[in-house]
Amino acid sequence: MNQQSIITSTFSDFSIMVEEQFHRMSEHELYIVDSDRDTITATYLAAFPEGTNPIFRTNTEHDCSCCKQFIRGLGNVVAIIDGQIVSVWDVPGIGFPYNIVATKMSEYVKSLPIRSVFRTQERQYGAAVTHEYMDGGTHAWNHFVGRVADRHRKSDADAVRGRINSVCGVLKRGLETLTLEALDQVVELIDANALYRGAEHLSAVAGFRSLKIRYDKSSNKELFIWEQVSNNNARFRNTVIGTLVQDLSEGVELEQAVKSFETKVAPENYKRPTALITPRMVEAAMDTVRELGLESALQRRHAKISDVSVNNVLFVDNAVRGLMQDSDLTALLMEEAVTSAPNLDGATEIAIDDFLANVLPGKTSMELLVENSMLSNFASLTAPVLEGNRLFKWGNSFGWSYDGNVADSVKQRVKAAGGRVDARFRVSLGWFNFDDLDIHVVEPSGEEIYYGHKRSRSGGHLDVDMNVSNNGSREAVENVCWDNLKDGEYKVLVHNFTKRESIDVGFELDCEFDGVPVKFHYPKAVKDKEKVKAVAFKVKGGKVVQMGMGNNAMTQGSVSQDKWGVRTETLVKVNTLVTSPNHWDEAHAIGNKHWFFILDGCRNPDPVRGIYNEFLRSDLEQHRKVFEILGDKTKCPVADDQLSGLGFSSTREAGAKVIVDRRAYNIQF
């Protein structure tokens, strides 16, 4: 029988191995476990097997002040290496009795939770060797020693520990409260360019998302948090993009959460370029569409004359009558009449209902005077590519789209500021920072309208003057208006009286004459005290005949313009007059009524929106944000055969001059 030999080691061997272990650990972040000084010292002394720590003088042999300093300072220090806690006592291969001591100390330290990161002002704990004169000679005593690496030694150690421990708390709360669903939602918003400067936050969101996935899979979550306390994304929860994720994680509605985010980071005049939808929202909407069998209804096109039943029209010209649905040529054929346009100044004013009931029946031709003020009235009727279940509230699949139904921002701002937008002519200045820009208009007489002389003898009036003081607006406007213009040349200048910012520079000029808008944009910064020659226009016979940038005037000839193949300020043949599709079946009419004059030769040259949220049936309204995008993505392609012209709404007071069988009428809507 072979007796296994017991390997023994000296304390010098033990102390050297512990020192080397601490040196290896110092290449990593170090932490302190939750043990007090006296308990860890008592645990160390109690770990020695009986008889291996004899009394020397008054204390046991291993109970010395140097070793106590090391044990109290570094005995409870650990590192996290490859996901495992490592202590200074992990010294495999040491012999008896120190293997017993090392094992018990390692088990004790690793059983305690981490309390803090390790930072100290001390350069070392303990001492390798001390010397004592005894028995007529010098005796060397070996001790524990640990030299602190520079990365763990700080002059303000307490403050550093406090800051890092605070980060640990932020990281823990973030990993526990922020959801993967919210993180994914923010990534989708960034990818869709729906967050202000969102791309700048993408790496942080992705980095924290990776931490979150690893944390959820971790078997020791407390250990994972301490291990990642130095990660660049540890403070993510307290960042501005982190607050957005927090709101979404807590169930705050998407629009509200993003609005809160934008108030923190975006300028006051920021307008989001896209609607707030994510792929999951799209999928939910499409699930509803599929459940209702509406996929085919999403494909839209221009409506054409053959789509429309004669039962739904108020007037049709003979030339197109035979192309309509349900046409009975025998019953509907009317004599054609060649008309010459009379003078419209004496047009008979008549309400639309009276006109339809008492004038139009039996008439063979109609022409409409397309005025410049009607540029926003151009509209097209739309239809589904494939017949199927309806998307809209009313009993058919037809819709309509106006070209000019987007409100003008500068004009709306002028109106909100109390300026006149109904004058015959106006020049409105708009800009987007706190600079004090001033509009100056030099009239043909040489009289100048500006903040120091707001009314001219000819009737010009500066009625809005903003950003004079520091507490101004980022959506500032100024406005000069006239009811009548004298003949001659007008010059518009923009002066930067006080430059305060270098962001969101430049300005817009919105000019409108007799309802005809002309816009100009100056993209550069206006220097302090600089005066920019912005616009010049000429008036002849009370009408603007030329307009252009600065000294390079743009010749207009007259204010007549071409749009969709139609010349404004001229009479244009009306092929068909119909009400809006939501009133085609009067028994089931829904919403406001529109009247559409389909004009001969009128062709919308651009893809047209076929789906508007206002049209949607009630069971689709929960997906309004998605349909806002779908409407933009499923536009009707350009087509030669289309029903386009001018539309007039029952909700807006307007007039249109027409000639019906040689007689002029001024229809009031």
Side-chain angles (χ1 to χ4, degrees):
M1 177 177 175
N2 296 326
Q3 184 176 0
Q4 185 177 7
S5 61
I6 298 176
I7 300 174
T8 59
S9 294
T10 65
F11 181 80
S12 176
D13 297 331
F14 187 28
S15 65
I16 290 172
M17 293 180 72
V18 168
E19 179 184 4
E20 291 175 346
Q21 172 69 354
F22 179 70
H23 178 72
R24 286 190 294 270
M25 289 167 54
S26 295
E27 296 177 0
H28 305 268
E29 182 62 273
L30 297 179
Y31 308 90
I32 301 170
V33 298
D34 196 10
S35 172
D36 63 79
R37 293 156 53 91
D38 293 337
T39 301
I40 194 169
T41 302
T43 301
Y44 169 73
L45 295 175
F48 283 88
E50 186 177 353
T52 60
N53 189 18
I55 297 293
F56 179 75
R57 295 176 183 166
T58 58
N59 296 333
T60 59
E61 183 176 308
H62 294 93
D63 185 7
C64 71
S65 59
C66 273
C67 288
K68 281 182 179 179
Q69 186 198 28
F70 174 89
I71 293 168
R72 290 169 175 172
L74 299 180
N76 62 346
V77 170
V78 298
I80 302 174
I81 302 175
D82 296 330
Q84 301 296 320
I85 291 183
V86 176
S87 77
V88 297
W89 308 106
D90 294 333
V91 286
I94 189 68
F96 185 84
Y98 302 106
N99 59 339
I100 305 298
V101 176
T103 298
K104 289 185 177 181
M105 287 300 292
S106 176
E107 290 175 350
Y108 168 71
V109 169
K110 291 179 181 180
S111 70
L112 301 172
I114 293 175
R115 182 179 66 207
S116 171
V117 293
F118 172 72
R119 294 293 186 274
T120 182
Q121 297 177 354
E122 304 296 330
R123 291 186 175 274
Q124 75 174 44
Y125 289 88
V129 179
T130 59
H131 296 87
E132 182 182 6
Y133 184 79
M134 56 184 296
D135 299 330
T138 301
H139 182 75
W141 296 100
N142 298 109
H143 308 281
F144 292 122
V145 65
R147 295 169 179 84
V148 179
D150 289 342
R151 63 179 299 193
H152 301 126
R153 190 173 68 249
K154 301 294 179 183
S155 60
D156 57 343
D158 290 342
V160 172
R161 278 197 304 272
R163 288 196 296 269
I164 297 176
N165 291 346
S166 176
V167 172
C168 180
V170 172
L171 175 59
K172 181 177 181 180
R173 287 192 298 274
L175 292 173
E176 290 178 348
T177 63
L178 304 185
T179 67
L180 279 176
E181 291 77 13
L183 288 161
D184 289 341
Q185 199 169 20
V186 171
V187 170
E188 291 168 355
L189 291 172
I190 293 173
D191 289 342
N193 193 32
L195 284 183
Y196 178 77
R197 299 175 72 170
E200 298 177 11
H201 303 288
L202 183 58
S203 62
V205 178
F208 188 83
R209 183 182 183 278
S210 176
L211 283 179
K212 172 68 174 174
I213 292 173
R214 291 162 56 197
Y215 173 78
D216 289 345
K217 294 180 179 179
S218 173
S219 59
N220 190 329
K221 290 181 168 46
E222 287 294 323
L223 198 64
F224 179 88
I225 290 170
W226 283 110
E227 187 178 16
Q228 299 299 327
V229 73
S230 298
N231 190 287
N232 291 334
N233 296 303
R235 296 179 176 86
F236 178 81
R237 183 182 181 274
N238 284 4
T239 64
V240 66
I241 194 69
T243 62
L244 172 58
V245 178
Q246 183 70 33
D247 283 346
L248 294 174
S249 299
E250 292 175 354
V252 176
E253 198 272 334
L254 179 64
E255 190 81 31
Q256 180 182 344
V258 172
K259 184 177 181 180
S260 175
F261 168 79
E262 289 173 348
T263 60
K264 301 181 182 76
V265 299
E268 189 174 329
N269 63 301
Y270 171 72
K271 294 178 177 59
R272 194 181 307 118
T274 59
L276 289 174
I277 67 166
T278 65
R280 274 175 289 184
M281 293 169 65
V282 172
E283 187 57 37
M286 291 307 297
D287 285 344
T288 301
V289 169
R290 284 188 285 267
E291 289 172 6
L292 298 173
L294 297 176
E295 286 181 283
S296 62
L298 295 177
Q299 297 176 281
R300 306 289 295 174
R301 61 172 173 81
H302 274 282
K304 52 189 178 180
I305 194 65
S306 60
D307 293 323
V308 185
S309 169
V310 294
N311 298 320
N312 296 323
V313 300
L314 305 171
F315 167 83
V316 60
D317 188 89
N318 285 347
V320 297
R321 189 175 300 277
L323 301 176
M324 303 186 69
Q325 282 187 25
D326 311 319
S327 61
D328 183 343
L329 295 181
T330 302
L332 296 172
L333 189 59
M334 299 180 185
E335 294 183 5
E336 292 196 47
V338 178
T339 64
S340 58
N343 191 324
L344 297 181
D345 291 341
T348 301
E349 188 167 305
I350 187 170
I352 179 63
D353 291 336
D354 191 13
F355 174 78
L356 296 177
N358 301 312
V359 174
L360 204 55
K363 299 302 187 288
T364 59
S365 66
M366 178 164 44
E367 293 175 289
L368 183 144
L369 178 62
V370 181
E371 301 180 63
N372 284 316
S373 59
M374 299 174 180
L375 288 174
S376 63
N377 292 74
F378 277 74
S380 299
L381 295 183
T382 64
V385 171
L386 301 174
E387 289 296 330
N389 291 335
R390 59 182 178 85
L391 283 175
F392 306 147
K393 299 173 183 177
W394 44 90
N396 60 70
S397 299
F398 291 86
W400 64 93
S401 180
Y402 281 95
D403 183 59
N405 58 349
V406 178
D408 180 85
S409 59
V410 173
K411 184 175 181 179
Q412 294 301 317
R413 284 155 54 189
V414 169
K415 185 176 181 180
R420 283 189 62 192
V421 295
D422 60 348
R424 188 178 177 198
F425 190 90
R426 66 177 173 85
V427 179
S428 302
L429 167 68
W431 68 103
F432 304 97
N433 62 23
F434 290 121
D435 286 1
D436 180 13
L437 297 188
D438 290 308
I439 189 170
H440 294 242
V441 180
V442 181
E443 297 188 324
S445 65
E447 190 174 5
E448 185 171 351
I449 303 172
Y450 71 111
Y451 62 88
H453 182 66
K454 294 185 177 182
R455 288 186 181 272
S456 70
R457 289 187 297 273
S458 66
H461 181 206
L462 171 66
D463 60 5
V464 178
D465 181 18
M466 295 180 66
N467 280 13
V468 177
S469 59
N470 286 321
N471 57 343
S473 169
R474 288 188 179 277
E475 295 187 352
V477 287
E478 295 200 356
N479 186 60
V480 179
C481 57
W482 300 259
D483 286 317
N484 292 287
L485 290 170
K486 303 293 185 181
D487 287 358
E489 184 177 40
Y490 293 71
K491 296 177 182 178
V492 180
L493 305 97
V494 176
H495 177 222
N496 196 339
F497 188 87
T498 304
K499 182 172 179 60
R500 299 188 179 109
E501 291 192 285
S502 298
I503 61 172
D504 299 320
V505 297
F507 59 82
E508 293 180 5
L509 278 175
D510 181 12
C511 307
E512 188 170 1
F513 178 68
D514 282 341
V516 180
V518 184
K519 301 178 189 300
F520 299 93
H521 175 229
Y522 188 79
K524 300 176 3 181
V526 184
K527 300 176 183 177
D528 191 49
K529 309 308 179 190
E530 181 184 6
K531 189 175 285 187
V532 176
K533 296 179 181 178
V535 171
F537 59 89
K538 291 182 179 181
V539 176
K540 185 176 181 180
K543 293 187 177 183
V544 174
V545 295
Q546 287 184 333
M547 178 174 284
M549 290 291 293
N551 294 324
N552 299 319
M554 179 174 63
T555 301
Q556 296 280 315
S558 71
V559 291
S560 178
Q561 299 184 33
D562 284 311
K563 180 162 183 175
W564 293 11
V566 172
R567 187 72 175 171
T568 63
E569 302 302 322
T570 63
L571 285 165
V572 180
K573 178 183 175 183
V574 177
N575 285 337
T576 307
L577 172 58
V578 297
T579 56
S580 48
N582 60 324
H583 280 259
W584 281 0
D585 184 355
E586 289 291 348
H588 300 90
I590 296 175
N592 299 321
K593 182 186 288 189
H594 301 252
W595 296 271
F596 294 107
F597 293 76
I598 307 303
L599 302 180
D600 191 53
C602 188
R603 298 289 182 272
N604 188 338
D606 300 310
V608 62
R609 192 181 186 102
I611 301 173
Y612 288 92
N613 284 350
E614 293 80 4
F615 296 173
L616 294 177
R617 45 194 270 189
S618 59
D619 49 4
L620 297 176
E621 289 187 352
Q622 61 179 316
H623 304 296
R624 290 173 65 88
K625 289 186 175 67
V626 174
F627 273 96
E628 183 177 338
I629 297 298
L630 278 175
D632 189 60
K633 299 294 186 183
T634 58
K635 288 183 176 179
C636 309
V638 177
D640 290 333
D641 189 8
Q642 60 177 260
L643 296 180
S644 294
L646 295 183
F648 299 89
S649 170
S650 60
T651 61
R652 295 183 60 186
E653 291 186 6
K657 295 178 181 179
V658 298
I659 295 176
V660 179
D661 286 0
R662 305 181 64 181
R663 184 171 177 180
Y665 297 90
N666 187 0
I667 304 173
Q668 299 301 302
F669 299 96

